[in-house]
Amino acid sequence: MKHILTFACLLFFLTVNAQVGVNTTEPKSTLDINGNLSLKVVSLNGGPSGTATPIDDGVYINLTPTSGNAEFILPDATQLPGRIYILRNVSDTETAQIYSNGGSLFSGDSRVATGAPVNMTADTAGDGNDPTKTLIFISDGANWTYGALGL
């Protein structure tokens, strides 16, 4: 009985103090980072029509679409609630096309699903004024919501 009581107290303590701090002794959130954050960067080449390149690794992803190979596909949103991808079309000439393997695609300012694909256009003018050059996609557990980062 003593061991069960000790285990129950330890479990309660771990549950109550489930905050982790990096460079802070008093975390204010579940994960509180007082410093810089680095994310894994992945580069992907586009797939041909009907055979989109899967997006399944990394957080910040450089997309390289080429003529005839411009398709990329997000994983099933229902399987990855809370997953975040930051996608950047690094091509200056080709549009990257984003599809979903499960769940609809919603622009962050709309309640109506976007018809696939979401087009991430190239900055053909070279003026850096393309709001779809870099987009963030977030799974809500059912669908993908996306929007410009405003960087």
Side-chain angles (χ1 to χ4, degrees):
M1 181 68 177
K2 181 179 173 185
H3 295 294
I4 293 173
L5 185 58
T6 302
F7 178 73
C9 289
L10 180 61
L11 185 61
F12 176 77
F13 177 76
L14 291 174
T15 303
V16 171
N17 294 312
Q19 293 177 316
V20 175
V22 178
N23 281 340
T24 179
T25 57
E26 297 180 23
K28 306 289 188 241
S29 298
T30 304
L31 176 61
D32 190 341
I33 300 172
N34 185 8
N36 296 323
L37 174 67
S38 295
L39 303 172
K40 182 177 181 177
V41 177
V42 173
S43 295
L44 296 175
N45 295 319
S49 180
T51 312
T53 298
I55 297 169
D56 60 5
D57 189 25
V59 174
Y60 188 93
I61 302 170
N62 292 317
L63 305 177
T64 306
T66 58
S67 181
N69 294 294
E71 294 187 357
F72 301 87
I73 192 163
L74 293 163
D76 185 343
T78 65
Q79 300 299 309
L80 302 167
R83 178 70 58 95
I84 297 173
Y85 291 110
I86 301 168
L87 306 181
R88 175 145 178 92
N89 179 356
V90 297
S91 173
D92 289 331
T93 59
E94 299 295 327
T95 296
Q97 298 176 323
I98 310 301
Y99 295 88
S100 171
N101 203 15
S104 297
L105 299 161
F106 285 85
S107 175
D109 61 357
S110 178
R111 291 184 297 210
V112 178
T114 303
V118 171
N119 289 313
M120 296 179 66
T121 57
D123 183 18
T124 55
D127 61 5
N129 273 337
D130 190 336
T132 65
K133 188 78 170 165
T134 303
L135 296 175
I136 185 168
F137 288 79
I138 304 172
S139 167
D140 65 5
N143 300 295
W144 291 100
T145 301
Y146 68 93
L149 282 174
L151 298 174

